[in-house]
Amino acid sequence: MKLNTLSYVIGAENTIEAGKEYFFGQLWDGNGDGEELLESETIAVYQDGEELIVDFEILEPADDILQTRVKVIGIN
C-alpha cells in the first residue's frame, strides 16, 4: 500500500511505502503532540477519507522533529 507524503519540502519521495525511510515531517500533518507520536512509533494518516495506521521505528533523531529519520514498518 502506498500513501501520499505530507511534505514535499523535506523529502523527494511522493509516496510512503512500508520498508522505506522518510522524515517524520512526511508522515505527520502537524496535529497533536509530535513528540508523543514519535515516542509511540505509530501515527494515523488520512487519505481519501480513510484512516490508516502507520507503524515506524526511529532511525535518526533530530532537534527538529520534522527532520527525524524513521523507517515505516507497516501500513494498516
Side-chain angles (χ1 to χ4, degrees):
M1 171 174 287
K2 295 181 180 180
L3 300 173
N4 296 328
T5 59
L6 297 175
S7 173
Y8 301 101
V9 176
I10 59 174
E13 302 86 357
N14 292 329
T15 58
I16 299 167
E17 298 178 54
K20 295 193 176 182
E21 297 178 14
Y22 301 92
F23 291 103
F24 181 64
Q26 292 176 277
L27 304 178
W28 183 40
D29 65 4
N31 290 319
D33 184 338
E35 294 288 342
E36 186 176 308
L37 291 168
L38 268 177
E39 269 185 40
S40 73
E41 296 188 341
T42 301
I43 190 168
V45 175
Y46 298 89
Q47 183 167 294
D48 299 328
E50 185 179 356
E51 179 185 73
L52 299 163
I53 303 301
V54 177
D55 297 312
F56 60 89
E57 63 183 357
I58 297 171
L59 299 176
E60 186 178 332
D63 289 336
D64 177 353
I65 64 169
L66 298 177
Q67 299 289 329
T68 296
R69 294 290 296 176
V70 300
K71 180 176 181 179
V72 173
I73 298 169
I75 302 172
N76 302 303

